[in-house]
């Protein structure tokens, strides 16, 4: 199936924006070392701006369905507005009832390594701004080798999310 490009798909936009703007830890860009490297907990805040999004529906032109997939890419910025990396990921719809649910897998590429995140997003099919979510950090590379913790995401504007990354030491 060819991809369907969408700037605002409502339910899918929530999920896509969520994934595209998922949290990332920034070591060199912000002067913050990873939790693994220091043995301490760290909280990092990043801003993600949606750059690209494609939707691959099971029923093109039809209602959302289990198995719909969204692919996203976002650009990441530190709190000072400096570009520090990007995210890329996919979300797959697992439930369409009760506002919907998706499972997402996202990788954040940063100057000193990558962070892998995955988890569920609930309510992505509800009209309005994308829902807030919490996902697990499942690993990483470079300075983020063996990273653990969680990411909390909030929508702060259309196509823009704030990510609070809680790295555990």
């Amino acid at each position: 199936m060819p991809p369907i490009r969408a700037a605002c798909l409502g339910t899918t936009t929530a999920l896509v924006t969520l994934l595209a703007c998922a949290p990332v830890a920034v070591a060199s860009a912000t002067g913050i070392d990873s939790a693994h490297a220091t043995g301490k907990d760290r909280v990092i805040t990043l801003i993600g701006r949606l750059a690209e999004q494609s939707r691959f529906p099971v029923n093109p032109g039809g209602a959302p369905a289990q198995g719909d997939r969204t692919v996203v890419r976002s650009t990441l910025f530190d709190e000072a507005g400096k570009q520090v990396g990007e995210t890329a990921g996919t979300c797959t719809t697992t439930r369409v009832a009760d506002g919907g649910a998706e499972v997402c897998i996202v990788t954040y590429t940063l100057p000193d390594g990558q962070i892998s995140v995955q988890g569920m997003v609930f309510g992505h099919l509800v009209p309005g701004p994308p829902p807030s979510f919490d996902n697990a950090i499942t690993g990483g590379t470079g300075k983020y080798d063996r990273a653990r913790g969680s990411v909390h995401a909030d929508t702060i504007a259309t196509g823009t999310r704030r990510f609070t990354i809680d790295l555990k030491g």
Side-chain angles (χ1 to χ4, degrees):
M1 286 184 276
I4 296 174
R5 300 239 183 242
C8 285
L9 289 178
T11 57
T12 300
T13 300
L15 173 61
V16 170
T17 302
L18 152 72
L19 292 177
C21 299
V24 176
V26 179
S28 297
T30 63
I32 299 174
D33 291 326
S34 72
H36 173 67
T38 64
K40 298 179 183 177
D41 293 353
R42 299 281 184 199
V43 175
I44 301 164
T45 301
L46 295 174
I47 303 298
R49 293 190 188 120
L50 184 62
E52 295 179 80
Q53 156 184 323
S54 296
R55 183 169 179 252
F56 300 88
V58 171
N59 302 312
Q66 185 180 44
D68 286 354
R69 190 169 48 104
T70 303
V71 179
V72 299
R73 183 181 71 82
S74 294
T75 306
L76 295 170
F77 299 86
D78 64 17
E79 290 182 292
K82 178 182 176 188
Q83 184 175 340
V84 295
E86 69 177 21
T87 64
T90 61
C91 291
T92 303
T93 298
T94 59
R95 180 182 76 212
V96 294
D98 301 321
E102 292 184 308
V103 62
C104 300
I105 300 171
V106 179
T107 299
Y108 304 90
T109 301
L110 303 168
D112 294 320
Q114 297 178 354
I115 296 175
S116 298
V117 175
Q118 75 177 57
M120 297 296 294
V121 176
F122 299 98
H124 73 284
L125 297 176
V126 175
S132 296
F133 67 92
D134 294 288
N135 283 173
I137 296 172
T138 57
T141 65
K143 277 197 167 183
Y144 310 104
D145 180 41
R146 294 179 279 172
R148 291 288 180 252
S150 62
V151 172
H152 178 78
D154 288 305
T155 299
I156 57 175
T158 301
T160 305
R161 283 195 167 260
R162 176 179 23 261
F163 300 98
T164 304
I165 300 127
D166 187 5
L167 289 168
K168 299 297 182 184

